[in-house]
Amino acid sequence: MALLEGEAEIIQAEVEAVLQKHGVDSGKLIPILQDVQTRLGYLPQEAMLQIAEALKIPEVEVYGVGTFYNQFRLNPPGKHRFKVCMGTACHMAGGKIIMESFERRLEIKEGETTPDREFSLERVACVGCCALAPVVVVDEEVEAKVRPTRVDGILLGFEMQKKASEKQKRQETGAEKQQEEEGREQ
Ligand code: FES
């Protein structure tokens, strides 16, 4: 995934800080990766390369650990996170169809993030409200008995929210400019 402006520098600085804390010790690869993920919210490819170089171990070894344990996420979390429950009750109630609906609408696969980093899609195990299956956790809110049409509704809600905040920003910038101009005229 393409990095945002200034993100490469942040990654480099955070990895350096973590390496300083743990020391250049290949035996501490897992805690190093865990710390980097805590600081950055995910494990970028650039961070893994930097770690491999610092610890003088093959890149493939670092990738191997990063991809083996599912505690590590290789994509940045989206601004909004959709967690589709795939526990037994939700799976039986159509969780897979719900996951596919999100994948189709967002044009990403499970575990991925949209290129604008607005949304990420994850699979989770039982979230403890099986009576409401199939369940999706949208940010921190539980959505119950979700149907594919509800997936459209959730996404439409975010789209409208985004448009409204863009409009508000434009209005604020317009009002500021007008105030500036009025100030100059006086
Ligand atoms: S299986 Fe989804 S909430 Fe329990």
Side-chain angles (χ1 to χ4, degrees):
M1 170 153 293
L3 296 181
L4 302 176
E5 204 186 316
E7 196 177 10
E9 291 75 13
I10 295 172
I11 293 172
Q12 196 179 353
E14 293 294 356
V15 171
E16 271 167 22
V18 169
L19 288 169
Q20 232 167 35
K21 177 180 155 197
H22 290 281
V24 182
D25 178 357
S26 59
K28 291 192 178 157
L29 179 58
I30 291 179
I32 288 172
L33 295 178
Q34 283 168 331
D35 259 13
V36 169
Q37 172 158 286
T38 306
R39 284 166 181 253
L40 297 170
Y42 76 114
L43 211 47
Q45 196 181 355
E46 294 71 11
M48 291 195 272
L49 287 175
Q50 194 181 334
I51 292 166
E53 200 180 310
L55 300 184
K56 297 188 173 38
I57 53 176
E59 288 158 17
V60 62
E61 199 176 309
V62 180
Y63 282 131
V65 173
T67 49
F68 180 76
Y69 296 98
N70 56 12
Q71 60 172 300
F72 294 119
R73 54 175 308 143
L74 306 178
N75 285 307
K79 191 167 147 207
H80 301 291
R81 296 171 70 172
F82 302 126
K83 297 179 199 152
V84 182
C85 181
M86 284 294 182
T88 310
C90 288
H91 187 74
M92 301 286 287
K96 195 165 180 281
I97 295 169
I98 300 308
M99 178 64 91
E100 285 168 1
S101 302
F102 274 110
E103 287 181 335
R104 234 189 341 266
R105 286 283 274 110
L106 296 171
E107 297 181 1
I108 56 173
K109 290 281 167 209
E110 159 197 333
E112 293 180 349
T113 304
T114 52
D116 61 0
R117 301 208 185 176
E118 198 68 19
F119 304 111
S120 52
L121 184 60
E122 296 161 48
R123 148 198 295 259
V124 288
C126 179
V127 292
C129 32
C130 307
L132 307 176
V135 165
V136 177
V137 183
V138 179
D139 294 330
E140 297 311 319
E141 295 276 319
V142 172
E143 287 276 344
K145 299 187 185 295
V146 179
R147 295 282 169 261
T149 46
R150 180 66 195 129
V151 173
D152 290 341
I154 293 169
L155 294 172
L156 189 66
F158 280 119
E159 247 168 60
M160 287 168 66
Q161 209 175 301
K162 197 177 170 193
K163 276 191 188 144
S165 81
E166 281 170 0
K167 190 176 168 193
Q168 197 186 345
K169 253 187 228 157
R170 275 199 307 273
Q171 281 170 344
E172 281 169 5
T173 327
E176 275 169 26
K177 267 191 190 153
Q178 198 179 347
Q179 269 178 355
E180 267 176 38
E181 277 165 20
E182 282 169 2
R184 266 200 298 270
E185 279 167 14
Q186 281 166 10

